Amino acid sequence: MKKNAYLVQAGCLYGNTYYLPYAVGMLIAFATDDERIREKYDFKRIIYSLEDIDESIASLENPSFVGFSNSIWNYSYNLEYAKKLKAVYPDCVIEFGGHHVPPTTEFLEKYDFIDILIHRKGEEAFRDVLLALDAQADFADIPNISYRLADGTPVQTKETKITISEYPSPYLCGVFDDIIKNDNYRFSCVLETNRGCPYNCCYCDWGELNSKVRLFSLEKVFAELDWMAEHKMEFVYCVDANFGMFERDELIAQKLVELKETKGYPNRLQVSYAKNESDRVFRINKLLADHGIGKGATLAMQTMEPSVLKNIGRVNISKEEYAKQITRYREAGISTYTELILGLPGETQDSFCKGLCEVLELGQHSSVSAYYCELLPNSSLASKESLEKFQIKTVSSALNQYHCESMDDVLSGHSGIVVATSTMNEDEWIRANEFSTCVQSFHHFGILQCVAMYIRKELNVPYYNFYSALYKYVSEESAFCKPIFDMVSRVLHNFVDGKGGLTYQNDIFGKITYPLEEAVFLLCLYDSEKFYADIRTFVSRYIQDNEMLDELFSYQQAVVLRPMKNDFTLQCKYNFRDYFDAILRNTFVPLQQKEVCYRFTTPFATDDWVEYAKEMVWYGRRNGRMMYSSMPNTIAEE
């Protein structure tokens, strides 16, 4: 009689969409490729959503084995599920694997209801554990796992590097066939064309850092893409560490374009691009952008401070090359986005805020995301040596998850956010966050971008000076903005005190959560007349010419998309379009008096605030979709 096995990879609901549970799908596909497993085990359904735990356990049929894939967003749910499961089925073997399983026996020591841990990538160990369980054999010769001896003592087996490069596909093996029959939801999927990463950034837990990259066969990759198109997968998330590193990645991009053109799917692709193959990455981005598949080009920096780069084991492209790439993409009509991380070891409040504005000086006006530094258990930053060396302090809070239904009443996961180091205390971390929120909300979402550019170019006021003064104004003096930034400050202080998360939800913009910078932008734009009237008081400190102020504010307000205003004209007395477009391309066109009528049109028309927040801010952030000036051919002279 076969043993019943279940796998759990509970994910969040994004709007009406779940990700297919790729990690456990890979485990099943690899294990059932072995005839011995097929003979001995019956893999029942995959639990892919945050189901009610008691109801879910009641639905199981005499489980002999249950495996849990652990990530930051579900490990708390998994722990509670496993604890209750063991109480109902004490003989059921419970196995934990995934990114959020520590690299030691820690989970076995803390949780007596867990029987086995799998470290690193787990397909081989997963199969071997199942075979050993069936044969009642010893686990000692299975590498990359932890288990208990007969007396309950936790032990860890030897660690070995994994060299296999061919795995059966869960898509092609039919692992997800039952899941996608659920018409109540849409599904997104994961594409994996290789494994491994040659770099060793200390904050990353990719799992196989500083390792040789193993390529999966193009035949398999293309077949999976065909499956995704056939099953109408709207969104594909490529989990390669450095897409564009290899010549064949262009072929993969071409395959995606071919499928989009012939079958209509997939519609969007998100990847992490290689940083040292600029020409190839540019060609890939150009191809994807021309066919509406890409989400913009990544120009990740993480930090602009050299000493911090040394601490985290990272080497960035030069600032000159960074500025060159921004210009190159802008001239090709491709949006770029830059990622920074707040809370890295060695960073100060001053260095972070100046670094954020330095990317503006280098020409990055499209999109910047300043992420929180999360302490991930399999990263070297989480080691005891790093924690002591950099005096790292974290706050563990409810999952810091964006663009999903509120997680307040859902047991899911916890984020370990770095809120202090030897060079930045909690108060400085809060102020750096507030400054970052100010810059991202007002500049990169575009609501004051033109004003800041004009003051920088015509009055020679550095972006750091301008946004430092604006931050002081909106947080201390502004009648309209101060209550909004009081909310931001309250959220951050509560978070540091362990009393809340780092998200914002307002029914005006839908039932999903937003990060603070997106929330500030939406709140200001929602009441834009009051916002611009209030901010004009601040800007008049720099621009005393009221006629210029009127003209500039008129154009600034027009250039930001908003719902129910999708096709209109604006009469101007200056060549604003050409002037600001030149700044975005790191070039110069003088501002001249010129009677011109601009027509603003967009392919992304929205009719209400919920749709706007979803389509423009959530989906469109990395493409700069909130601004007409970020999209080619949307501002035309009449």
Side-chain angles (χ1 to χ4, degrees), residues 437-452 467 470 480-481 517 520-529 531-532 535 539 552-553 555-562 609 612 626-627:
T437 300
C438 177
V439 174
Q440 291 179 80
S441 303
F442 294 153
H443 197 93
H444 293 106
F445 287 101
I447 202 167
L448 272 184
Q449 186 184 95
C450 295
V451 171
Y467 278 109
L470 179 61
F480 176 82
C481 293
E517 67 275 7
V520 170
F521 167 74
L522 286 167
L523 290 169
C524 290
L525 191 65
Y526 181 74
D527 214 344
S528 61
E529 288 189 12
F531 167 75
Y532 281 114
I535 287 296
V539 175
L552 181 59
F553 264 69
Y555 185 81
Q556 171 66 84
Q557 288 177 261
V559 83
V560 182
L561 274 76
R562 64 197 71 205
W609 283 100
Y612 178 88
M626 299 80 62
M627 296 192 72

Side-chain angles (χ1 to χ4, degrees), residues 304-585:
M304 303 298 288
E305 176 59 41
S307 62
V308 180
L309 288 171
K310 183 178 179 180
N311 287 342
I312 64 177
R314 182 180 173 89
V315 178
N316 282 339
I317 60 173
S318 70
K319 294 175 183 178
E320 293 76 16
E321 179 64 20
Y322 177 74
K324 176 183 174 183
Q325 291 300 321
I326 287 174
T327 302
R328 182 185 194 184
Y329 280 99
R330 176 68 189 183
E331 289 178 343
I334 303 171
S335 296
T336 60
Y337 59 93
T338 292
E339 297 166 340
L340 300 173
I341 299 177
L342 174 59
L344 293 173
E347 196 84 78
T348 66
Q349 175 190 342
D350 190 55
S351 70
F352 177 81
C353 295
K354 287 183 176 178
L356 179 59
C357 290
E358 187 174 8
V359 301
L360 303 184
E361 300 287 356
L362 293 171
Q364 179 53 286
H365 303 286
S366 296
S367 180
V368 167
S369 293
Y371 295 111
Y372 304 109
C373 182
E374 297 195 32
L375 201 64
L376 304 174
N378 285 288
S379 67
S380 61
L381 190 62
S383 68
K384 181 180 179 182
E385 294 75 17
S386 291
L387 294 176
E388 294 176 352
K389 178 180 179 180
F390 299 114
Q391 299 174 37
I392 293 172
K393 178 181 177 181
T394 63
V395 167
S396 180
S397 78
L399 184 67
N400 184 47
Q401 191 78 351
Y402 306 136
H403 305 142
C404 63
E405 294 182 342
S406 175
M407 307 294 285
D408 291 345
D409 300 319
V410 179
L411 186 64
S412 54
H414 279 72
S415 298
I417 305 293
V418 175
V419 297
T421 65
S422 57
T423 54
M424 184 188 296
N425 62 34
E426 289 98 325
D427 288 339
E428 292 166 337
W429 182 85
I430 290 172
R431 290 195 294 273
N433 261 295
E434 292 172 349
F435 182 85
S436 174
T437 300
C438 177
V439 174
Q440 291 179 80
S441 303
F442 294 153
H443 197 93
H444 293 106
F445 287 101
I447 202 167
L448 272 184
Q449 186 184 95
C450 295
V451 171
M453 286 176 170
Y454 175 88
I455 291 172
R456 178 68 182 96
K457 184 63 67 175
E458 301 300 321
L459 304 179
N460 200 31
V461 176
Y463 288 115
Y464 177 72
N465 293 16
F466 174 79
Y467 278 109
S468 293
L470 179 61
Y471 165 53
K472 185 176 188 300
Y473 177 78
V474 298
S475 58
E476 296 178 10
E477 306 171 42
S478 166
F480 176 82
C481 293
K482 187 177 185 303
I484 296 175
F485 274 83
D486 283 346
M487 176 273 293
V488 172
S489 181
R490 186 166 56 251
V491 168
L492 292 169
H493 277 89
N494 285 342
F495 178 79
V496 168
D497 292 338
K499 298 176 182 177
L502 290 165
T503 60
Y504 175 86
Q505 190 273 325
N506 187 322
D507 286 354
I508 293 172
F509 311 118
K511 299 292 185 181
I512 61 175
T513 57
Y514 286 92
L516 295 176
E517 67 275 7
E518 293 179 8
V520 170
F521 167 74
L522 286 167
L523 290 169
C524 290
L525 191 65
Y526 181 74
D527 214 344
S528 61
E529 288 189 12
K530 289 183 180 179
F531 167 75
Y532 281 114
D534 181 89
I535 287 296
R536 184 183 173 114
T537 302
F538 169 76
V539 175
S540 64
R541 299 174 184 178
Y542 297 92
I543 304 173
Q544 281 77 47
D545 184 336
N546 283 326
E547 181 183 350
M548 172 54 74
L549 204 55
D550 289 340
E551 288 292 313
L552 181 59
F553 264 69
S554 178
Y555 185 81
Q556 171 66 84
Q557 288 177 261
V559 83
V560 182
L561 274 76
R562 64 197 71 205
M564 299 163 286
K565 190 176 181 182
N566 305 306
D567 188 340
F568 62 95
T569 59
L570 177 70
Q571 196 73 35
C572 294
K573 296 180 180 179
Y574 293 88
N575 61 329
F576 284 128
R577 184 197 64 178
D578 297 339
Y579 174 78
F580 288 116
D581 187 61
I583 295 175
L584 291 170
R585 290 184 286 109

Side-chain angles (χ1 to χ4, degrees), residues 36 70 111 227 230 250 290 348 377 403 471 488 530 555:
R36 295 170 295 174
N70 292 269
Y111 308 114
W227 185 95
E230 179 184 346
E250 288 192 74
D290 287 346
T348 66
H403 305 142
Y471 165 53
V488 172
K530 289 183 180 179
Y555 185 81

Side-chain angles (χ1 to χ4, degrees), residues 1-8 40-45 47 53 56-68 81-82 84-95 115 130 133:
M1 183 176 178
K2 289 185 178 181
K3 300 178 178 68
N4 290 341
Y6 292 84
L7 289 177
V8 181
K40 298 295 184 179
Y41 290 91
D42 186 5
F43 285 93
K44 299 293 187 178
R45 72 182 182 93
I47 292 139
I53 292 175
S56 185
I57 292 174
S59 74
L60 305 183
E61 302 174 27
N62 191 28
S64 174
F65 175 93
V66 178
F68 293 82
Y81 195 119
K84 289 186 173 183
L85 176 65
K86 193 62 125 176
V88 176
Y89 294 102
D91 294 329
C92 176
V93 176
I94 294 176
E95 180 183 75
D115 301 302
L130 289 177
L133 284 170

Side-chain angles (χ1 to χ4, degrees), residues 207-226:
E208 293 176 274
L209 298 171
N210 200 21
S211 62
K212 182 179 179 181
V213 179
R214 295 172 284 145
L215 301 179
F216 297 169
S217 75
L218 274 181
E219 180 182 6
K220 173 191 173 186
V221 173
F222 285 0
E224 288 190 331
L225 290 173
D226 285 332

